[in-house]
Amino acid sequence: EIQYETLTAGTFNIGGSPLTFYETAFFHVLSKTMIVTDSLAQVQPTPPPLNDPDPLLYISKKSNPTLDGFPEDTPAARQAGWEKTTLLVSYFFPEHEELDPEKLGIVTWTDGWHDNFSFLSGRLLVPPVVRTLIY
């Protein structure tokens, strides 16, 4: 009733030991439903409920890390943090996240990151990081 295929994604040296990654896709014949894990994602346009908003608030700043004070916990700051976090986990180095060549460790978000998030969110897709590493 359920068919499946397993893909060997590759063996990588992690922490000095070989580690092999696998991806398995399942297909339920009667309902014609494909079930995959990690391969497909759909980023929601708004952040989920949070126990601790601090990580999103930290990422919401224009520059990270900075000596600026911690941002106020507002819906806009949470949204900006959500959008930037989504870009960070979807891409190795998202467009519009720029290293400051004069300040080691400082990253500045330039105009355009919100448009990139808008293009990414709400769609069913294979995240670019997964596509690059696995496929």
Side-chain angles (χ1 to χ4, degrees):
E1 183 173 318
I2 297 180
Q3 299 172 350
Y4 68 92
E5 291 289 330
T6 299
L7 166 73
T8 302
T11 301
F12 305 91
N13 186 357
I14 298 179
S17 300
L19 182 62
T20 303
F21 289 90
Y22 300 92
E23 275 296 323
T24 301
F26 302 89
F27 183 71
H28 185 253
V29 178
L30 293 176
S31 67
K32 297 182 180 178
T33 302
M34 182 184 292
I35 305 164
V36 293
T37 60
D38 299 327
S39 295
L40 292 175
Q42 184 177 35
V43 175
Q44 298 304 309
T46 57
L50 303 169
N51 291 331
D52 180 8
D54 286 356
L56 287 188
L57 296 175
Y58 180 77
I59 296 291
S60 74
K61 300 188 298 182
K62 182 168 176 70
S63 297
N64 292 310
T66 65
L67 299 176
D68 301 343
F70 205 73
E72 185 179 339
D73 185 3
T74 65
R78 287 186 182 206
Q79 183 67 36
W82 173 247
E83 293 180 12
K84 291 175 182 178
T85 298
T86 298
L87 293 171
L88 286 168
V89 300
S90 297
Y91 298 92
F92 285 113
F93 299 100
E95 185 180 28
H96 303 292
E97 180 201 32
E98 307 293 335
L99 291 173
D100 187 326
E102 297 178 13
K103 299 176 185 168
L104 186 63
I106 301 294
V107 173
T108 300
W109 288 89
T110 59
D111 291 341
W113 60 265
H114 174 73
D115 294 333
N116 289 1
F117 173 81
S118 295
F119 178 78
L120 185 70
S121 71
R123 300 174 51 212
L124 192 62
L125 58 97
V126 176
V129 167
V130 173
R131 185 175 55 238
T132 300
L133 292 176
I134 306 272
Y135 305 107

